[in-house]
Amino acid sequence: MTATDVHRTIEAVWKIESARLIAGLARRVRDVGLAEDLAQEALVAAFEQWPRTGIPDNPAAWLMTTAKRRAIDMFRRNRRVEEKHGELARDAEELQERAVAELDAAMDDDIGDDLLRLVFTACHPVLKQDAQVALTLRMLGGLTTDEIARAYLVPEATVAQRIVRAKRTLTKEQVPFEVPKGKELRARLTAVLEVIYLIFNEGYSATAGDDWMRPALCEDALRLGRVVAELMPQEPEVHGLAALMEIQASRLRARTSASGEPILLLDQRRALWDRLLIQRGLAALDRVEKLGGADGVYALQAAIAACHARALEAEETDWAQIAGLYARLFEVMPSPVVELNRAVALSMAFGPEMGLVVVDALVREGTLANYHLLPTVRGDLLVKLGRDDEARMEFERAASLTRNAREQELLIKRAQKCSASKN
C-alpha cells in the first residue's frame, strides 16, 4: 500500500470514527475542546506512524488507545506541575490517581450516550449558530477546517477562529457534557435539528458559489440525522427530520445536468431518484405517525416530500394534498416562505391565478423583498398567464438577488426566453 493509500485510509477512518473518539474522550475529561485536541493528536500520530507500521487491524481502537495515552500523559504531567508548586493536597492526588485509572477503564463504555451528549454540546445555545455549525461539522462530521471553509465559502482562518472561540466559550461557560432533560431537552433538541437541517439545506441548494449543490454536506447532515434518530428513537421530530432528508436526498442525482445546470423538480428524470432512500424516508415517516408526531414541523415537510416521491410521473402529483399540508405547516410554523410554497401548490392544483393572489399578498407584505425565490415564483406564474414582459422583469430581479452562479444563469435564461417568446 502506498503512502497515498494509507493517507486516504486514515482520512476515511477519521471521518467515520472521530465523533465517537471525541465523545468518549469528552465524557472523561469533561472538556469538549480538550477532547478534540486529544483526538487530533491521535490523528497526527496515525499520519506519522501508519505509513511505516501499516494500517492496524482495528484502526478505531488504535486511535482510541493513542488518545487515551495522551490523556493519561496529560493528567500525569499536570500532576507533576501541581506537585512542583505545592498546590496539590494529598486527597486531591488520590482523586487524580483515581481519575487516571477511571479514564483508562471507562473509555470503552457504551458510546451511544456520549455521541448524544456531543451533539447537544456542539449545539449549545451559548454558541452562535455559525459556531454551532462549524463545531458540529468538525466534531461530528469529521470535516477538516479547510473542508468546512470550502463548503461555506469563507476563509479557512474564519472557520478556525469560530471553532477555537466555540471551544473556548464552552470551557469558559462550563457547559456540562450532558443531554438536557425536560423542557430544556425540547428547546435544545430544536436547535440540534435546526443545525443539522441547515447543513443539509446548504448542501441541497447552496446559497452562494459556482455549484448549485454540495452533495457532501447533504451526506454529512444525513449521517448526523441518522445518528440522532438512532440515539433518540422515541422523538418523532427526529424521525421527521430524518424522513425529510432521506426523501430530499433521493433526488440529488436528478437535480443537475451532467454539466451542473440546475434541473427543476417537474423536469427531473424520476428514474434517477434513489428508491432506497425514498423507502427509508417513507419508513421514517411511518414511524413518526406511530409516535403521534404527524403535525411536527419536519414531519409535515417530510409528508410533502413524500407526496412528490410517490408520484412516478410529475403529472401524478397530488398538488391539492400538498397545498393542504402547507396550510397545516403554516399553522405550526407561520412563515412567508411556507406561504410562498403554498402558493406554488395552489397554482398547480387550481390554476396560476390562485397562486398569484397569494404571491401578490406576499409582495405587498414585504418580508421577502430580498428573497430571490419570490420573484422567481411570481415570474413562473406570470409565464403561465401569458404575461411574458412582467415575467421577464421578475426573473431578472431574481437573478440579481441570488448569490449562486448556477441559479443566476438559469434565471437569466428564463428571462431571455420570455423576451424571445414576445418577439
Side-chain angles (χ1 to χ4, degrees):
M1 184 179 283
T2 67
T4 302
D5 292 336
V6 173
H7 282 190
R8 284 180 183 152
T9 301
I10 295 171
E11 288 166 0
V13 170
W14 176 254
K15 203 136 202 170
I16 296 169
E17 299 295 340
S18 59
R20 297 173 190 277
L21 184 61
I22 295 168
L25 290 163
R27 174 164 53 87
R28 299 311 303 163
V29 301
R30 316 303 296 179
D31 185 324
V32 171
L34 177 58
E36 212 255 339
D37 291 344
L38 290 167
Q40 287 286 338
E41 288 184 26
L43 175 66
V44 171
F47 275 112
E48 290 173 348
Q49 295 181 35
W50 293 6
R52 288 185 283 104
T53 61
I55 307 291
D57 292 338
N58 189 335
W62 189 97
L63 286 170
M64 179 62 87
T65 301
T66 302
K68 283 161 55 179
R69 286 177 181 153
R70 300 294 167 107
I72 292 168
D73 288 345
M74 183 203 69
F75 270 72
R76 287 176 174 155
R77 193 163 54 244
N78 288 347
R79 184 189 61 184
R80 283 198 295 272
V81 170
E82 289 174 2
E83 282 175 344
K84 185 177 179 182
H85 292 84
E87 296 175 355
L88 189 64
R90 181 178 300 173
D91 58 344
E93 288 181 23
E94 292 173 356
L95 283 173
Q96 198 165 45
E97 288 286 0
R98 201 179 309 150
V100 171
E102 286 176 354
L103 175 66
D104 195 48
M107 199 70 79
D108 298 323
D109 284 357
D110 180 22
I111 202 75
D113 289 345
D114 290 343
L115 270 177
L116 198 55
R117 292 186 192 104
L118 188 58
V119 173
F120 278 92
T121 303
C123 298
H124 195 279
V126 297
L127 303 177
K128 293 181 179 176
Q129 193 173 62
D130 56 4
Q132 292 176 343
V133 169
L135 206 57
T136 301
L137 285 173
R138 174 64 170 266
M139 294 200 300
L140 287 149
L143 271 66
T144 64
T145 306
D146 176 54
E147 287 171 328
I148 299 169
R150 279 191 279 117
Y152 281 90
L153 305 174
V154 295
E156 186 176 353
T158 301
V159 172
Q161 286 173 358
R162 281 179 193 166
I163 292 172
V164 169
R165 279 200 298 264
K167 291 191 291 189
R168 197 177 293 154
T169 300
L170 293 176
T171 302
K172 180 183 174 186
E173 298 294 331
Q174 297 185 324
V175 171
F177 187 64
E178 64 184 17
V179 177
K181 294 183 172 62
K183 291 181 180 177
E184 192 183 351
L185 171 63
R186 180 65 56 192
R188 294 271 297 281
L189 179 59
T190 299
V192 168
L193 299 184
E194 277 179 5
V195 166
I196 294 174
Y197 194 40
L198 183 70
I199 294 168
F200 181 87
N201 265 337
E202 188 57 31
Y204 192 72
S205 184
T207 52
D210 295 330
D211 297 319
W212 198 32
M213 297 188 301
R214 299 193 183 94
L217 279 180
C218 290
E219 291 170 13
D220 284 324
L222 195 53
R223 186 173 66 80
L224 293 174
R226 288 169 179 163
V227 168
V228 178
E230 186 179 331
L231 297 172
M232 305 185 77
Q234 299 305 313
E235 288 291 337
E237 272 294 80
V238 174
H239 295 291
L241 176 59
L244 175 59
M245 293 194 296
E246 298 276 11
I247 297 173
Q248 297 279 63
S250 73
R251 302 180 201 148
L252 288 177
R253 280 186 302 171
R255 295 193 78 230
T256 56
S257 67
S259 58
E261 294 176 340
I263 300 176
L264 301 180
L265 177 64
L266 298 183
D267 300 325
Q268 291 170 12
R269 282 182 58 204
R270 300 193 175 209
L272 292 178
W273 288 4
D274 189 320
R275 305 312 299 184
L276 176 61
L277 289 180
I278 289 173
Q279 290 305 316
R280 287 180 62 98
L282 294 177
L285 193 55
D286 184 53
R287 191 165 186 177
V288 171
E289 291 171 358
K290 288 177 179 170
L291 290 169
D295 279 330
V297 168
Y298 296 110
L300 285 168
Q301 293 179 80
I304 292 166
C307 285
H308 292 295
R310 290 188 179 106
L312 297 179
E313 301 292 339
E315 296 74 19
E316 297 173 6
T317 307
D318 188 342
W319 287 104
Q321 183 183 6
I322 292 173
L325 287 166
Y326 272 121
R328 284 169 58 191
L329 180 60
F330 189 81
E331 290 176 9
V332 296
M333 187 177 71
S335 153
V337 174
V338 173
E339 192 68 344
L340 182 62
N341 286 325
R342 188 175 74 89
V344 173
L346 286 171
S347 74
M348 295 300 294
F350 307 112
E353 296 89 347
M354 185 171 286
L356 194 59
V357 169
V358 178
V359 169
D360 284 346
L362 287 170
V363 171
R364 289 191 297 274
E365 192 262 342
T367 308
L368 298 180
N370 294 315
Y371 184 50
H372 71 284
L373 288 182
L374 179 59
T376 301
V377 170
R378 191 164 192 274
D380 188 54
L381 297 177
L382 291 170
V383 166
K384 290 175 180 172
L385 292 169
R387 295 159 60 178
D388 288 345
D389 262 352
E390 294 171 80
R392 174 183 55 77
M393 288 189 286
E394 293 293 347
F395 289 135
E396 287 174 348
R397 173 170 168 68
S400 72
L401 291 174
T402 182
R403 291 185 296 139
N404 185 281
R406 289 289 187 180
E407 199 165 27
Q408 197 171 52
E409 288 173 15
L410 176 70
L411 290 164
I412 290 172
K413 282 182 182 176
R414 297 193 75 184
Q416 291 169 341
K417 193 174 177 182
C418 290
S419 297
S421 66
K422 182 186 173 186
N423 298 328

